Amino acid sequence: MIDLRSDTVTKPTAEMRAAMAQAEVGDDVYQDDPSVNALQELAAQTLGKESALFVPSGTFGNQLALFTHAPRGSEVVLGEQCHIIQHEAGAASVIAGVQLRQIDAPDGALDAAHIAQRLRRADIHAPATSLICLENAHSNGKAVPLKVLQDIHVLAQAWSIPVHLDGARLFNAAAALNCGVKEIAAYADSVMFCISKGLCAPVGSLLAGTKRFVEAARFKRKIMGGGLRQAGILAAAGIIAIKSMTQRLEADHKRARALEAALTKIKGITVAPGNDINMVFFTVSSITGAAQAAAVVNEFRKRGIIISEPQDDGTFRFVTHYWIGDSELEQIITAAAALF
Ligand SMILES: *Cc1c(COP(=O)(O)O)cnc(C)c1O
């Protein structure tokens, strides 16, 4: 099956499975797992941070960052469409016990001037801002320019407020911005990235920052039940993800742009412009209701292609990844022309 629902559907490659089978392991709660240690060192080095910690998922890494940076009852400032607000099941209220203050950011990119109006110190009525969260690449398919990150970083430093970057697709952002991941990571105090999305590893994310931050996070990871034992089996795939899979993301982006170009030619399809990464968003004028949408999803499935139902506003999202090559792309375009 061709699966366009997300890049989270990527299965480990043969090379990863071989590395996993042979991975040296130990008990990582004792920090005895050589493969986890190697993955964490590689992640820290790659991002230009002092240290990094392996965590079970991106949501876990983001929530651990909030839990570590932000005192209970404080306020975290972030964009309204970000993953932490939209897709993490309200975890910030349960785990860190913080208040989330949303900033309008229809395009995903926050603006330093907007954020500046929302920062506050504690007084008898107000919670103090304890953290600013950014997302890059944004899950709306856009890479946030370095200048935006830099301006927010300057503001945060002036206020002595840390910045956490949700970089679930950090390497996609770097490929889209044509820069190194270090350049993006430099504007954040902590960075989370996923090895389980377009990088093909089966499980896991990394949370990077200063040694001190990571040590505090290690303790809080235990509180959250994320102290894993022989996790080196997973880390072995993560090492390949970082070393080699990060180098090929441009191919996914190119195929996404090629798919956009092909869809644009189909009558009734309107492709959302300005996407930088491996995502294509579009509406189809002939599909107006849930029943029609469900029917088309079913028709795609009959042709061996799995797609998600459109969002509430009728927008379809197709995501390209490692397992979608040129011949798969052709099949998708042929199906789209016949079914939409
Ligand atoms: C996928 C994603 C996450 C969370 O990752 P999970 O591993 O699914 O918990 C966080 N942030 C963004 C922007 C994402 O796209």
Side-chain angles (χ1 to χ4, degrees):
M1 295 294 276
I2 297 171
D3 198 336
L4 285 166
R5 290 172 299 176
S6 177
D7 46 9
T8 56
V9 302
T10 48
K11 293 174 183 169
T13 61
E15 187 193 1
M16 283 179 177
R17 287 179 189 267
M20 292 169 80
Q22 284 148 25
E24 265 191 78
V25 295
D27 188 330
D28 184 49
V29 173
Y30 293 110
Q31 301 185 45
D32 272 352
D33 190 305
S35 302
V36 172
N37 292 340
L39 171 66
Q40 291 174 163
E41 274 160 38
L42 175 63
Q45 259 175 33
T46 304
L47 267 57
K49 297 292 182 201
E50 284 176 14
S51 194
L53 191 67
F54 183 65
V55 292
S57 70
T59 299
F60 196 114
N62 280 337
Q63 295 302 327
L64 179 58
L66 265 60
F67 194 22
T68 307
H69 283 299
R72 198 166 184 81
S74 66
E75 188 166 74
V76 174
V77 166
L78 65 197
E80 53 164 358
Q81 292 302 328
C82 74
H83 196 276
I84 292 172
I85 288 184
Q86 299 292 342
H87 303 295
E88 300 192 3
S93 64
V94 180
I95 299 167
V98 293
Q99 169 160 297
L100 298 182
R101 187 117 189 247
Q102 308 182 30
I103 310 249
D104 287 353
D107 240 12
L110 288 167
D111 168 60
H114 259 127
I115 295 178
Q117 292 166 3
R118 296 284 182 275
L119 300 180
R120 45 186 179 165
R121 309 274 186 214
D123 71 15
I124 190 67
H125 299 293
T129 310
S130 56
L131 182 66
I132 298 168
C133 292
L134 306 177
E135 189 171 308
N136 205 12
H138 199 279
S139 47
N140 67 3
K142 298 195 170 67
V144 179
L146 289 175
K147 180 75 172 77
V148 173
L149 305 179
Q150 185 185 17
D151 289 349
I152 295 170
H153 181 63
V154 168
L155 172 70
Q157 286 212 309
W159 278 70
S160 299
I161 294 170
V163 173
H164 170 66
L165 175 66
D166 174 351
R169 296 187 182 85
L170 178 69
F171 293 91
N172 294 88
L177 295 170
N178 201 14
C179 69
V181 281
K182 278 184 191 161
E183 287 175 68
I184 302 175
Y187 297 122
D189 297 277
S190 60
V191 182
M192 182 284 290
F193 70 91
C194 295
I195 52 175
S196 57
K197 289 199 165 162
L199 304 183
C200 286
V203 176
S205 296
L206 285 117
L207 178 62
T210 62
K211 270 206 168 73
R212 199 166 157 215
F213 170 80
V214 168
E215 277 326 299
R218 185 187 302 282
F219 179 73
K220 296 216 162 170
R221 182 183 70 172
K222 194 76 172 78
I223 293 177
M224 289 167 67
L228 304 176
R229 303 295 177 175
Q230 285 74 32
I233 289 175
L234 302 173
I239 290 168
I240 295 168
I242 295 176
K243 281 192 177 157
S244 57
M245 303 307 275
T246 54
Q247 308 302 313
R248 56 156 304 284
L249 294 173
E250 191 54 38
D252 296 341
H253 297 186
K254 281 201 178 119
R255 288 197 183 96
R257 302 293 81 78
L259 184 52
E260 282 175 345
L263 291 174
T264 303
K265 289 187 194 136
I266 299 171
K267 201 164 167 276
I269 292 189
T270 308
V271 173
N275 288 309
D276 302 311
I277 60 167
N278 58 331
M279 294 179 181
V280 176
F281 294 91
F282 59 95
T283 53
V284 184
S285 62
S286 59
I287 296 173
T288 49
Q292 260 180 319
V296 83
V297 169
N298 201 29
E299 286 305 312
F300 268 92
R301 200 174 261 271
K302 281 189 202 158
R303 289 174 178 243
I305 301 170
I306 309 176
I307 65 170
S308 298
E309 303 233 336
Q311 298 157 12
D312 290 343
D313 65 356
T315 303
F316 284 89
R317 185 186 78 160
F318 283 4
V319 184
T320 57
H321 51 74
Y322 181 80
W323 298 101
I324 296 179
D326 290 334
S327 76
E328 285 79 12
L329 194 67
E330 280 311 311
Q331 288 180 63
I332 294 159
I333 293 166
T334 305
L339 301 175
F340 282 136

